[in-house]
Amino acid sequence: MSTNGIFKRRKKDCALPYHPEKNPKFNFPVSAENLKKLFSDCADFILRPVWPGMEPRGGVSVCWIDGLVSAVDVSETVIRPLTERLHPFPASAEACIELLLGGGVWCCNARRCESMDALAEALTAGCCAVVFDRAGAAVAFEVRSSSTRTVSTPTVEKTVKGGKDAFVETLRTNTALVRRRLRNPALKTLMTTVGRKSDTTINIMYIDGVANPDTLALLRQRLDEIDIDGLTAAGNLEQYIVDRPNSPFPQLIHTERPDKFSAELLAGRIGILVDGLPLGFLLPATLAHFMKVAEDRAQHFIVASALSLLRWLSFVISAVFPALLVAVCMYHQEMVPHKLLLSIIEAKQRVPFSVAFEVLTMLLAFELLMEAGMRLPDPAGDTVSIIGALVVGQSAVDARVVSPISVIVVATTAICGFTLPSRDLGAAVRSVRFLLVLLAIVLGLFGIAVGLALLIWYLCSMDCFGVAYTSPLCDGGWHENLKAFLRPSLTKTKLREHALHTPDRRNQR
């Protein structure tokens, strides 16, 4: 590791072994009766005995879960060829299974299930199964229903020059969106399941030869160690695989845009797609990466660099500005210019509360407005924001409840917080903002200095899958440090990030 970075730290080894241990859930033989017991009291489970080749014989059934499969596909591609066109049908159950697997049924995807565990997984994934009681096996055909949400435009990460499609809740649709951008067999997709009750499918996507194999092994190990009932939200995954689950700072990159997801895979990161979540997760993550947006690569490097510096400035203002106002007004009035100090004193003469109380009250009111705007429907949320920001805020100033300078500082802080690309990072900055205000109330500027020193120390102590959270500031040279704040010309950026430790560092000739 390089030793000429701004903050020195020790790198941790992340190469850990991966030992998957999958235990079967249902240990009874495959048969129609056992399926009825397994899916008892399930109104959407359908099991229908059939006569293969229209020959009266027992022990053959077709089963599926209504709503997960297409009824037309079940009838036309499974039941019809099974009963009408396969005549004469073999007398042996094994021969029947081989005939179905060899193309006797018109379905693009067919697999044999010799355990109830595999059969139940296939049925809940949207397959139709032909069960042979005498062979103790079944053949599952993929006939998933197409009644899912279509691909739409991004709602959170809006773009001008980027792609106009976003991830949806269907896993295979999301992987297809990535495959359309990375048409290379080196793009690998590993599948696993998480959740004892939900059996949620997870796909790990990476580019072979580019992603760090140690990071991949560590990720697979942590996913295999998750032992929860269900994975239904992003937090159920994120908080179980990150290095610091109690930290307010985000440690996984979230995106709803397939183009950003694909670009990060090319950069050497590893992606995670979860069935049922319209999000893609990327790792490792660093603080500097949360300050970048995908739109930077579509703009001229001078414009992108200026906007990047503006975001970093907004990051500092959003965290420090309210605490700085409290410290200066309570302890260090001599730092304020004379005319500005007279204006502040004049505005504070008729206000009965202290600056510290005003700032804390306004910050809490701002948090309440944000929470109300997010929870209410769009028209009502916009109305609440307008009423809270304009009517209540102006009325509070006119009634001499708060001073105008406090309103200006809190409003400026809120605007700067909205410029941060990551909402999770913005939430962490809001927590830091309150802590710095409390320290400023007690110790003034010295408290702010102590708080910032502790914050920097805390960030430097964090890791994300073996990569320093403050990278490249802690382990890179001057060129890497500049790339954290600026966006150099793409034609001159010929190497991938050093902190990712990619086997192939060169991305262009």
Side-chain angles (χ1 to χ4, degrees), residues 25-309:
K25 302 176 183 177
F26 314 114
N27 292 320
F28 36 90
V30 174
S31 67
E33 290 300 323
N34 288 334
L35 274 174
K36 291 180 181 179
K37 295 178 182 178
L38 180 63
F39 289 96
S40 61
D41 298 329
C42 296
D44 54 352
F45 175 73
I46 300 175
L47 189 143
R48 173 184 172 181
V50 296
W51 289 355
M54 296 305 294
E55 298 178 4
R57 66 176 73 180
V60 181
S61 306
V62 179
C63 59
W64 66 90
I65 297 179
D66 190 22
L68 295 183
V69 302
S70 171
V72 175
D73 291 341
V74 171
S75 302
E76 294 296 327
T77 65
V78 179
I79 297 180
R80 184 176 180 181
L82 180 65
T83 56
E84 290 185 2
R85 300 185 178 274
L86 297 183
H87 183 78
F89 207 77
S92 170
E94 288 294 335
C96 295
I97 293 176
E98 294 298 328
L99 179 60
L100 296 182
L101 293 174
V105 170
W106 306 330
C107 189
C108 63
N109 191 353
R111 66 179 184 272
R112 178 168 179 158
C113 300
E114 296 184 345
S115 66
M116 287 295 293
D117 193 32
L119 180 56
E121 181 182 354
L123 291 175
T124 55
C127 292
C128 170
V130 181
V131 183
F132 295 87
D133 292 345
R134 289 178 294 173
V139 181
F141 302 97
E142 184 176 338
V143 284
R144 289 189 180 94
S145 173
S146 59
S147 57
T148 57
R149 185 170 69 94
T150 58
V151 178
S152 58
T153 57
T155 57
V156 178
E157 300 174 272
K158 297 183 179 180
T159 177
V160 177
K161 296 182 180 180
K164 302 300 181 181
D165 50 353
F167 287 132
V168 296
E169 291 77 10
T170 307
L171 179 62
R172 280 294 160 257
T173 303
N174 293 340
T175 56
L177 291 174
V178 179
R179 286 280 183 188
R180 289 173 183 172
R181 289 170 169 82
L182 302 177
R183 303 178 183 180
N184 194 315
L187 176 61
K188 306 300 181 181
T189 303
L190 304 178
M191 186 177 71
T192 184
T193 57
V194 173
R196 291 176 294 182
K197 299 293 190 297
S198 65
D199 279 333
T200 305
T201 304
I202 295 178
N203 276 183
I204 304 172
M205 303 192 73
Y206 67 98
I207 298 180
D208 190 20
V210 176
N212 188 350
D214 293 339
T215 305
L216 177 62
L218 181 58
L219 172 62
R220 296 183 65 180
Q221 181 189 15
R222 292 183 180 179
L223 287 175
D224 190 65
E225 291 174 351
I226 298 178
D227 187 16
I228 57 177
D229 281 343
L231 198 164
T232 57
N236 297 135
L237 174 68
E238 181 175 4
Q239 296 178 20
Y240 284 89
I241 65 174
V242 297
D243 294 79
R244 295 279 189 92
N246 296 326
S247 174
F249 287 89
Q251 299 168 66
L252 286 183
I253 304 169
H254 306 86
T255 182
E256 62 175 348
R257 292 177 51 181
D259 55 346
K260 178 180 178 180
F261 190 88
S262 304
E264 296 301 332
L265 293 184
L266 289 173
R269 287 182 169 83
I270 300 174
I272 304 175
L273 295 176
V274 181
D275 193 17
L277 296 181
L279 288 174
F281 303 89
L282 293 159
L283 57 98
T286 59
L287 178 64
H289 194 80
F290 284 111
M291 298 300 296
K292 299 178 181 179
V293 295
E295 201 77 2
D296 287 343
R297 299 180 64 88
Q299 296 176 330
H300 192 272
F301 72 95
I302 296 179
V303 177
S305 299
L307 293 177
S308 178
L309 290 175

Side-chain angles (χ1 to χ4, degrees), residues 395-421:
S395 299
V397 173
D398 294 340
R400 301 294 192 273
V401 177
V402 295
S403 60
I405 186 65
S406 299
V407 176
I408 293 173
V409 169
V410 173
T412 304
T413 302
I415 294 173
C416 291
F418 286 136
T419 62
L420 300 181

